[in-house]
Amino acid sequence: MHCVSRYVVLCCNLLAAASASASGIAVQVQDAAGKVLPDTVIYVEPEGAAAAAGGKPAGAQIEQKGLKFMPLVSVVQVGATINFPNNDKVRHHIYSFSPAHKFDQKLYSGQAASPQVFDKAGTVVLGCNIHDKMIAYVKVVDTPYFAKTDGAGAARIELPAGKYVVKAWHYNTVGGATPEQALTVKAGAELSTAIFKLPMKPVVVDDAGSGL
Ligand SMILES: [Cu+2]
């Protein structure tokens, strides 16, 4: 019993130490006019060296619900597995023509879709053969350090000391622009901050009131 309680105390101390000395970067993403941009992928690549080995990458899930993929944008590390549960009453036929991961999952419902392993860095665009408006993006990154901006265009990534390149990717930039900034994290430093301004294509207004 004593051993257990001592272990718990040790854990808590370690957690407290980690959060008190969090170093890394807090990013704010905007368009050229200063409007905040949710759903932007921020990823941080260590400079001049392979990313630290971090075990098996975390998996993800892209659900189909209400004739939409959810979430619209996903970010995973190379090697991650993604599941595609269909929670609609209708069947979907999902596919990708993207070189980073081509696949074709014929009509299915429920949990029947095969999980897909994303083993190449790049951008994967998903569609559905039955429902043309369904679209989703998977950004596959070759680093364990990544995040997606929230509704306020903000993201935060904790990093060990080192030199990095920080990149900001959004599916709707002009020419696929992915701006980057150099970052040096010193041991024991507080969070750095950075602002990214992305050149955005005009948003195409969906057919309002088209019913389906
Ligand atoms: Cu569909």
Side-chain angles (χ1 to χ4, degrees), residues 20-186:
S21 64
S23 56
I25 189 162
V27 175
Q28 163 72 220
V29 184
Q30 308 170 352
D31 69 7
K35 186 168 159 273
V36 301
L37 284 174
D39 280 334
T40 306
V41 170
I42 306 297
Y43 58 110
V44 183
E45 298 178 329
E47 202 176 80
K56 193 170 158 51
Q61 179 169 293
I62 301 174
E63 175 190 23
Q64 292 99 67
K65 184 133 199 228
L67 304 187
K68 283 184 173 166
F69 287 112
M70 297 198 306
L72 171 65
V73 177
S74 300
V75 53
V76 294
Q77 188 177 355
V78 171
T81 299
I82 300 185
N83 287 297
F84 298 92
N86 177 3
N87 292 318
D88 276 327
K89 293 209 169 75
V90 298
R91 294 191 296 170
H92 296 294
H93 176 166
I94 64 177
Y95 67 88
S96 154
F97 292 136
S98 304
H101 188 76
K102 287 186 188 159
F103 74 100
D104 188 51
Q105 173 68 58
K106 299 230 166 12
L107 282 170
Y108 70 96
S109 50
Q111 306 294 322
S114 310
Q116 299 285 323
V117 177
F118 290 75
D119 53 8
K120 246 186 264 173
T123 302
V124 179
V125 183
L126 305 179
C128 174
N129 253 343
I130 317 293
H131 308 101
D132 285 346
K133 285 189 177 174
M134 288 178 66
I135 191 164
Y137 303 90
V138 181
K139 187 70 177 166
V140 187
V141 298
D142 195 10
T143 168
Y145 309 120
F146 56 81
K148 197 171 78 169
T149 57
D150 61 16
R156 179 187 147 138
I157 300 172
E158 293 189 7
L159 298 163
K163 287 193 166 191
Y164 299 94
V165 177
V166 185
K167 298 182 179 177
W169 176 86
H170 190 287
Y171 61 87
N172 203 35
T173 58
V174 175
T178 305
E180 55 186 63
Q181 297 184 23
L183 170 71
T184 300
V185 175
K186 297 205 171 96

Side-chain angles (χ1 to χ4, degrees), residues 1-11:
M1 280 304 153
H2 276 271
C3 289
V4 170
S5 56
R6 237 181 272 137
Y7 176 72
V8 169
V9 169
L10 180 64
C11 273

